[in-house]
Amino acid sequence: MKGIILAGGRGTRLYPLTLSVSKQLLPVHDKPMIYYPLSVLMLAGVRDILIISTAHDLDAFRSLLGDGAPLGLDLDYAVQDEPRGIADAFRIGAGHVGSDDVALILGDNIFHGPGFGEVLQSRVASLDGCVLFGYRVPDPERYGVAQADATGRIVDVEEKPTEPRSNLAVTGLYLYDNEVVDIAAGIRPSARGELEITDVNRVYVRRRAATLVDLGRGFTWLDTGTHDALTDASHYMQMMEQRQGIRVGCIEEIALNMGYIDAESCHRLGRRLAHSDYGQYVMRVASSTPALLATT
């Protein structure tokens, strides 16, 4: 499976913070926002990833993440010159996807919950059609909303309905089979000139090939598109670190745990950041693995 992170747009709701820097490069507690969606794809077992952003911001992403090799990843980059909707990612990334299935995640979405990696890997392994991830919200009229039957098959999906028939918001994480490339190429732009991801999802719904995963209680989904949401996300990550001693979205730790890199490589990545608490954490994680303990 290939991966795409859509990190474009102008971030106008976060002005003036985003007048000179991409929203997805803003800090969420101790790391850049893009670390969080990248970590989700890594947990899903996806290592070949395309990052789509604006021409203005792409060099900054390259400077931050490079080609991904030190993390055991293969990262590439592409430009979205104008915001043309989420489904535009499949037109831009068609060559990257090739004949593979694809996972798309929005660069401003944060996911955290128990066993999430296992859920993702299971859904990737059994993918047939598309899989959407739903999260119960008090204001579903602000989101795309899905209805599913008792088996999890999606029977309807609406974009920002005035009278929602469900409170399950469709989050910014999507798994698709390879048909999505042709489906996205065939949909028409909306009145706003955008390629709506809901239109893509409706095709799968009509084919009875769309499944919903209800993330359920005890799970956290954060959309960091406003100043308050960005602050809340930072406070949440700070709380997790202070109370549980874990760092959500630590891409070096995930690369180690997934077997993408060994303990020595992880420790080396931490040493580059050794003057920060984050770098110290990465080195502690690497040093606690049996393989590195045996050489020290």
Side-chain angles (χ1 to χ4, degrees), residues 105-116:
I105 188 168
L106 304 187
D108 61 357
N109 274 218
I110 297 175
F111 297 83
H112 178 240
F116 192 39

Side-chain angles (χ1 to χ4, degrees), residues 203-223:
V203 174
Y204 282 99
V205 171
R206 289 196 296 269
R207 294 180 178 181
R208 299 173 63 86
T211 301
L212 183 73
V213 176
D214 184 346
L215 293 173
R217 298 179 63 180
F219 200 94
T220 298
W221 170 56
L222 302 168
D223 179 349

Side-chain angles (χ1 to χ4, degrees), residues 81-250:
D81 52 6
E82 291 290 337
R84 285 189 294 268
I86 296 172
D88 188 44
F90 298 115
R91 295 191 179 185
I92 296 170
H96 168 75
V97 175
S99 59
D100 292 314
D101 299 337
V102 59
L104 169 67
I105 188 168
L106 304 187
D108 61 357
N109 274 218
I110 297 175
F111 297 83
H112 178 240
F116 192 39
E118 290 81 359
V119 171
L120 291 171
Q121 292 162 37
S122 172
R123 294 294 177 169
V124 166
S126 62
L127 181 63
D128 182 17
C130 87
V131 175
L132 309 181
F133 294 83
Y135 189 81
R136 298 186 184 277
V137 297
D139 48 355
E141 65 278 359
R142 294 180 52 227
Y143 303 93
V145 175
Q147 284 183 282
D149 62 21
T151 69
R153 183 177 62 86
I154 299 175
V155 297
D156 190 30
V157 61
E158 299 179 275
E159 184 64 27
K160 297 180 180 178
T162 55
E163 297 183 4
R165 288 178 284 178
S166 163
N167 68 342
L168 274 170
V170 176
T171 67
L173 172 62
Y174 316 84
L175 306 181
Y176 296 103
D177 63 19
N178 190 255
E179 288 292 318
V180 73
V181 176
D182 290 335
I183 292 171
I187 64 173
R188 295 181 178 181
S190 68
R192 297 183 299 171
E194 296 187 354
L195 301 177
E196 302 287 354
I197 197 68
T198 298
D199 291 339
V200 171
N201 295 334
R202 283 180 179 141
V203 174
Y204 282 99
V205 171
R206 289 196 296 269
R207 294 180 178 181
R208 299 173 63 86
T211 301
L212 183 73
V213 176
D214 184 346
L215 293 173
R217 298 179 63 180
F219 200 94
T220 298
W221 170 56
L222 302 168
D223 179 349
T224 54
T226 67
H227 294 99
D228 286 345
L230 184 62
T231 300
D232 289 345
S234 290
H235 287 164
Y236 177 83
M237 295 307 164
Q238 182 184 40
M239 180 191 69
M240 293 300 298
E241 179 188 347
Q242 291 177 344
R243 295 189 180 184
Q244 299 187 15
I246 63 172
R247 292 180 185 256
V248 180
C250 179

